[in-house]
Amino acid sequence: MPDTSFLAYLTASTYWALVVCWSAILIFYIIEYRRLRQLSPLVATLVVVIFIDGFRTLVESGYFGVWYTARTGLIPYSIFELLTRPEYVIIPKLANLGAAVIILLFMLRRWFPAMEAEVQRHRELQRTYRELQRLQDLRDNLVDMIAHDMRTPVTAIIGSLQTALQDVPPGSMVEEMVRNAVQDARRLEMMTEDLLDINRMEAGQLPMQMEPVDVSETLHEAASRVRYLADEKGLRLSVHEPDRPLTVMADRDILERVLMNLLQNAIRHTGPEGRVELSAREAEEEGMVQLTVSDTGEGIAEEIRDRIFDRFFHAAGETAGAPASIGLGLAFARLAVEAHGGRIWVESELGEGSSFHLTVPMAPRSASE
């Protein structure tokens, strides 16, 4: 006689819910199997095992779903009487046993070879990583050694040129050529220092002399040291001081070099008659000062904005006539700003220029007074 109690309906509904859920899961595995097995042989084996177990659960849930639905009378009650016979009750049990046997056989045949292949792949990845790390260390050591060896002759060249400049007739073409040579040598000297300091900062070995630094003085000093580059290209380089005196806690020399690198980068990517501006204000972050270098240059494509601060990154499409960059200035700026406890980012649109922003901690009142 049909059982029309709430519990009977709930039991039947539960089994049919299981049927729907496991059907969706199996369809997902069928659709995604090709992509999932590409991850590794081990993943492919697990997918097949889960599929077999899921199919077993689907068969069992379907059997008892029909059983309990017939028991409520929603379908002919005779089906319930049929499924309660021992020769039919054993069907879900046999499905359980068959799935277990198939899984065991499949795992014996596929699991251990797949596991061995996964272990071997992991070992290969470890060897590859160690080799890449060794090559990275060799490169860093070579770069550091070259930079160290370059510093001495560059310093000697600058000294010799400055000495020769004293005997050159003022206003002559020779004087202009020597002064240009000094400026280029100083640019090379700065690149060498950036390279050495990048390696030191990455290794946590660069000592920083933190002290209260007047923001306005730093802005003007950094701008004065690169103004000749702007003049050579016919750019307008301007400094906008903050609304009130601001003092940051920073390494004066390193902060100036960061601003100089950003200014040089802006000048390099801005055409004649363009503008480059250096400004400062209190940041939205409490206790921070924001410094900004803006230009009206070529802008930066969105797809490379996250990479421009990487060491040795070089973007194609330099402004015509601009000196080539090997991607040290922005990498140095990022590491130096982060070492100060600040952050650096860029806002840019192609053809509309760029704005590089960085934040530096404000000096405590007692230190800045």
Side-chain angles (χ1 to χ4, degrees):
M1 184 174 184
D3 181 357
T4 57
S5 66
F6 172 76
L7 184 59
Y9 286 114
L10 179 62
T11 304
S13 300
T14 301
Y15 276 110
W16 287 116
L18 285 171
V19 169
V20 172
C21 291
W22 277 104
S23 296
I25 292 172
L26 292 180
I27 291 172
F28 168 79
Y29 277 117
I30 292 172
I31 294 174
E32 296 294 323
Y33 174 71
R34 179 172 296 179
R35 287 197 298 179
L36 290 171
R37 71 178 181 178
Q38 291 178 353
L39 297 177
S40 73
L42 193 62
V43 172
T45 301
L46 288 174
V47 169
V48 174
V49 168
I50 295 173
F51 183 87
I52 295 171
D53 186 60
F55 185 77
R56 183 270 308 170
T57 304
L58 179 62
V59 171
E60 188 176 44
S61 299
Y63 182 92
F64 286 107
V66 174
W67 175 325
Y68 282 100
T69 303
R71 184 179 178 183
T72 63
L74 292 175
I75 60 177
Y77 185 76
S78 58
I79 295 177
F80 169 73
E81 295 176 332
L82 178 67
L83 295 180
T84 55
R85 296 172 61 179
E87 59 268 32
Y88 293 111
V89 172
I90 200 173
I91 291 177
K93 307 302 178 184
L94 289 175
N96 260 329
L97 178 61
V101 171
I102 292 173
I103 289 174
L104 284 173
L105 293 175
F106 186 81
M107 290 183 68
L108 287 172
R109 182 178 178 182
R110 297 283 298 275
W111 177 266
F112 296 106
M115 178 64 77
E116 181 62 29
E118 187 69 17
V119 170
Q120 186 63 29
R121 188 173 73 93
H122 184 67
R123 289 172 180 165
E124 290 293 333
L125 287 174
Q126 285 185 323
R127 280 196 291 268
T128 301
Y129 174 79
R130 286 195 295 268
E131 180 63 18
L132 290 174
Q133 189 63 45
R134 187 182 69 83
L135 293 175
Q136 176 71 27
D137 292 341
L138 286 174
R139 189 195 72 173
D140 289 344
N141 292 336
L142 178 61
V143 169
D144 193 67
M145 180 179 65
I146 292 174
H148 270 291
D149 290 345
M150 286 175 58
R151 185 165 55 177
T152 300
V154 168
T155 303
I157 290 171
I158 293 173
S160 299
L161 289 172
Q162 289 177 331
T163 301
L165 193 60
Q166 298 175 1
D167 297 327
V168 173
S172 65
M173 181 179 296
V174 175
E175 182 192 33
E176 182 181 356
M177 294 175 62
V178 173
R179 290 191 183 279
N180 290 337
V182 170
Q183 292 169 355
D184 289 338
R186 289 199 179 282
R187 186 182 303 161
L188 181 59
E189 181 183 40
M190 187 173 177
M191 291 170 53
T192 304
E193 291 298 325
D194 284 347
L195 187 53
L196 288 172
D197 287 345
I198 285 173
N199 286 343
R200 294 189 190 116
M201 281 188 283
E202 288 180 337
Q205 298 174 349
L206 179 66
M208 299 179 62
Q209 304 297 324
M210 307 298 286
E211 60 179 334
V213 177
D214 184 81
V215 171
S216 295
E217 291 180 6
T218 305
L219 297 183
H220 284 287
E221 180 64 24
S224 67
R225 296 178 66 178
V226 299
R227 190 170 296 279
Y228 72 93
L229 294 175
D231 294 340
E232 287 177 356
K233 293 190 67 175
L235 305 179
R236 188 174 70 191
L237 174 59
S238 57
V239 176
H240 302 282
E241 297 187 8
D243 296 334
R244 67 178 185 86
L246 294 175
T247 305
V248 294
M249 186 61 69
D251 184 301
R252 186 185 304 273
D253 292 337
I254 290 180
L255 182 58
E256 282 186 10
R257 283 172 54 195
V258 168
L259 294 176
M260 289 171 60
N261 280 331
L262 295 178
L263 288 169
Q264 288 177 349
N265 183 72
I267 293 170
R268 180 184 303 117
H269 292 275
T270 302
E273 307 299 326
R275 298 190 314 276
V276 176
E277 299 177 350
L278 177 58
S279 60
R281 64 178 179 84
E282 289 190 53
E284 295 180 359
E285 305 169 58
E286 186 177 355
M288 305 293 283
V289 174
Q290 179 174 315
L291 310 178
T292 300
V293 175
S294 301
D295 64 64
T296 57
E298 59 193 24
I300 303 170
E302 183 177 0
E303 60 269 19
I304 66 170
R305 284 178 205 158
D306 293 336
R307 301 169 55 201
I308 59 174
F309 295 102
D310 294 342
R311 180 163 50 154
F312 300 124
F313 175 75
H314 174 76
E318 300 255 7
T319 302
S325 169
I326 60 173
L328 292 177
L330 293 181
F332 170 79
R334 176 180 63 83
L335 290 172
V337 170
E338 290 175 354
H340 279 83
R343 63 188 183 96
I344 186 170
W345 70 99
V346 62
E347 297 174 351
S348 182
E349 293 293 336
L350 281 177
E352 298 183 10
S354 306
S355 292
F356 284 83
H357 308 279
L358 63 98
T359 57
V360 185
M362 194 176 296
R365 287 185 178 275
S366 58
S368 59
E369 291 175 352

